[in-house]
Amino acid sequence: MDRKAIASSPQTSNLYETDFYAWTQEQAKLLQQGVWENLDIANLVEEIESLGKQVRQELRNRLGVVLGHLLKWEFQPNKRSKSWFFTLREQRRRIRQLLNENPSLKPYFPEALQIAYEDGIDLAARETSLTDKDFPAECYYSIEQVLDSTFFPGEPITSGENWVVEN
């Protein structure tokens, strides 16, 4: 869309630049009242597009955390912790919620998984004694495994580690 062709009043565009929160409140009020001619269309379009990008970024960020913890879990079994377990549980739950609230993200999931894997490797390398070369170059965890609250790669959890509870 050609943003230059979209009219915005100088007053609302200025508010957008000087007080974003006030601008959002003004735009919401104008939308509720149906005062279309006073809307800052160019900036509204930009912000709506940005919101969509933020949701995709949230998915990639959460996947990066899950993948990093799965790698740590698998490649350093002697250092497994309650913290890792609960981080995996929380992030998996939040990813499922995000997908339930935004079902149109599901087709993007395979791409997001591949993109987030690099972040997962960085997290695992940063938080362990391993380097990024110690991990597989490509993500080999399936989408189902990443979301499965009972999937923990590598050696099974020992009986003394009773953190596993039902979701």
Side-chain angles (χ1 to χ4, degrees):
M1 182 176 279
D2 181 13
R3 290 199 167 71
K4 292 184 182 179
I6 301 172
S8 291
S9 76
Q11 184 178 11
T12 58
S13 289
N14 185 42
L15 191 56
Y16 177 80
E17 299 296 330
T18 60
D19 188 343
F20 182 75
Y21 178 75
W23 175 84
T24 64
Q25 300 309 295
E26 177 186 80
Q27 296 305 299
K29 185 177 176 183
L30 293 170
L31 284 166
Q32 289 169 343
Q33 294 172 349
V35 185
W36 316 120
E37 64 277 4
N38 291 344
L39 287 170
D40 183 1
I41 301 297
N43 286 319
L44 279 170
V45 168
E46 185 177 324
E47 291 305 320
I48 290 170
E49 288 173 344
S50 177
L51 288 172
K53 290 176 185 176
Q54 287 176 15
V55 173
R56 287 168 55 117
Q57 182 63 44
E58 180 181 356
L59 176 62
R60 290 190 305 268
N61 288 345
R62 293 190 183 284
L63 281 170
V65 172
V66 168
L67 292 167
H69 279 74
L70 287 174
L71 290 168
K72 291 188 329 181
W73 191 275
E74 182 172 2
F75 286 85
Q76 284 203 322
N78 58 330
K79 300 220 176 173
R80 290 178 184 163
S81 69
K82 186 176 181 179
S83 172
W84 292 1
F85 173 83
F86 281 101
T87 295
L88 279 165
R89 190 169 94 165
E90 174 189 2
Q91 294 303 316
R92 285 170 159 165
R93 181 178 57 247
R94 291 188 180 206
I95 290 169
R96 286 191 303 270
Q97 290 168 344
L98 185 63
L99 292 172
N100 285 338
E101 293 169 2
N102 301 279
S104 64
L105 280 176
K106 288 177 184 172
Y108 175 65
F109 199 96
E111 180 182 347
L113 187 66
Q114 294 307 315
I115 294 168
Y117 186 67
E118 290 181 36
D119 293 336
I121 288 174
D122 288 347
L123 184 151
R126 183 175 59 248
E127 295 184 4
T128 67
S129 61
L130 303 170
T131 72
D132 56 343
K133 305 292 184 228
D134 293 318
F135 302 108
E138 298 291 322
C139 181
Y140 60 89
Y141 302 124
S142 71
I143 292 170
E144 294 75 22
Q145 289 172 324
V146 169
L147 294 177
D148 182 355
S149 61
T150 64
F151 173 73
F152 294 89
E155 298 293 319
I157 299 172
T158 60
S159 61
E161 297 167 344
N162 59 356
W163 321 311
V164 183
V165 290
E166 299 289 321
N167 273 348

